[in-house]
Amino acid sequence: MSIVEKPELLKAIGRKIKEVRISKNTTQLELAVKMVENVGKIDETNISRIESGRTNPTVFTLHRIAEALEVKIMDLVAID
Protein backbone atom coordinates (compact mmCIF):
# COMPACT_ATOMS: atom_id res chain seq x y z
CA MET A 1 0.00 0.00 0.00
CA SER A 2 1.38 3.36 -0.97
CA ILE A 3 1.42 6.47 1.15
CA VAL A 4 -0.79 9.21 -0.31
CA GLU A 5 -0.13 12.80 0.66
CA LYS A 6 -3.09 14.81 1.94
CA PRO A 7 -3.26 17.28 -1.00
CA GLU A 8 -3.28 14.43 -3.54
CA LEU A 9 -5.95 12.56 -1.59
CA LEU A 10 -8.20 15.63 -1.38
CA LYS A 11 -7.79 16.25 -5.12
CA ALA A 12 -8.54 12.60 -5.94
CA ILE A 13 -11.71 12.60 -3.83
CA GLY A 14 -12.73 15.94 -5.32
CA ARG A 15 -12.27 14.60 -8.85
CA LYS A 16 -14.36 11.55 -7.96
CA ILE A 17 -17.17 13.70 -6.57
CA LYS A 18 -17.11 15.85 -9.71
CA GLU A 19 -17.11 12.76 -11.92
CA VAL A 20 -20.15 11.31 -10.15
CA ARG A 21 -21.94 14.68 -10.14
CA ILE A 22 -21.41 15.14 -13.87
CA SER A 23 -22.48 11.55 -14.59
CA LYS A 24 -25.76 12.42 -12.85
CA ASN A 25 -26.15 15.55 -15.04
CA THR A 26 -26.14 17.69 -11.92
CA THR A 27 -24.60 21.15 -11.61
CA GLN A 28 -22.82 22.34 -8.49
CA LEU A 29 -25.77 24.60 -7.76
CA GLU A 30 -28.25 21.73 -8.11
CA LEU A 31 -26.12 19.59 -5.80
CA ALA A 32 -26.00 22.39 -3.22
CA VAL A 33 -29.79 22.76 -3.39
CA LYS A 34 -30.29 19.01 -2.91
CA MET A 35 -27.96 19.08 0.08
CA VAL A 36 -29.93 21.95 1.65
CA GLU A 37 -33.13 19.96 1.24
CA ASN A 38 -31.57 17.07 3.16
CA VAL A 39 -29.98 18.85 6.11
CA GLY A 40 -28.89 22.44 5.94
CA LYS A 41 -27.07 25.21 4.11
CA ILE A 42 -24.15 24.63 1.78
CA ASP A 43 -23.33 26.73 -1.25
CA GLU A 44 -21.90 25.97 -4.65
CA THR A 45 -18.59 27.68 -3.84
CA ASN A 46 -18.06 25.10 -1.10
CA ILE A 47 -18.84 22.33 -3.61
CA SER A 48 -16.29 23.90 -5.95
CA ARG A 49 -13.63 23.95 -3.20
CA ILE A 50 -14.31 20.29 -2.39
CA GLU A 51 -14.14 19.22 -6.04
CA SER A 52 -10.87 21.07 -6.58
CA GLY A 53 -9.29 19.57 -3.45
CA ARG A 54 -8.91 22.98 -1.77
CA THR A 55 -10.85 21.96 1.33
CA ASN A 56 -11.11 18.85 3.46
CA PRO A 57 -14.78 17.79 3.62
CA THR A 58 -15.98 16.22 6.83
CA VAL A 59 -17.38 12.70 6.81
CA PHE A 60 -20.81 14.24 7.41
CA THR A 61 -20.42 16.47 4.33
CA LEU A 62 -19.35 13.46 2.25
CA HIS A 63 -22.41 11.64 3.53
CA ARG A 64 -24.65 14.56 2.52
CA ILE A 65 -23.08 14.70 -0.95
CA ALA A 66 -23.56 10.95 -1.38
CA GLU A 67 -27.21 11.19 -0.34
CA ALA A 68 -27.85 14.13 -2.67
CA LEU A 69 -26.24 12.25 -5.58
CA GLU A 70 -28.00 9.02 -4.59
CA VAL A 71 -24.78 6.99 -4.35
CA LYS A 72 -22.93 5.24 -1.55
CA ILE A 73 -20.30 7.26 0.27
CA MET A 74 -17.77 4.63 -0.83
CA ASP A 75 -18.44 5.63 -4.44
CA LEU A 76 -17.09 9.09 -3.61
CA VAL A 77 -13.94 8.03 -1.80
CA ALA A 78 -12.99 4.99 -3.89
CA ILE A 79 -9.85 6.21 -5.64
CA ASP A 80 -7.47 4.36 -7.93
Side-chain angles (χ1 to χ4, degrees):
M1 183 170 161
S2 66
I3 301 294
V4 179
E5 296 294 324
K6 182 178 178 179
E8 287 80 26
L9 180 61
L10 294 178
K11 286 179 185 177
I13 290 172
R15 281 191 302 270
K16 190 66 162 180
I17 291 169
K18 183 176 182 178
E19 175 185 304
V20 171
R21 178 182 57 75
I22 289 171
S23 76
K24 301 275 187 173
N25 291 326
T26 303
T27 66
Q28 290 179 344
L29 178 58
E30 291 167 335
L31 176 57
V33 168
K34 287 180 182 181
M35 290 175 70
V36 168
E37 291 170 359
N38 290 342
V39 178
K41 187 175 192 279
I42 188 167
D43 62 28
E44 62 196 284
T45 58
N46 199 13
I47 302 294
S48 175
R49 285 192 298 271
I50 291 168
E51 288 184 352
S52 66
R54 292 178 297 170
T55 192
N56 189 357
T58 65
V59 172
F60 184 66
T61 298
L62 290 173
H63 173 73
R64 290 174 61 198
I65 292 170
E67 281 190 335
L69 292 173
E70 299 177 345
V71 297
K72 296 177 183 176
I73 195 170
M74 290 302 298
D75 295 333
L76 303 179
V77 296
I79 57 172
D80 301 323

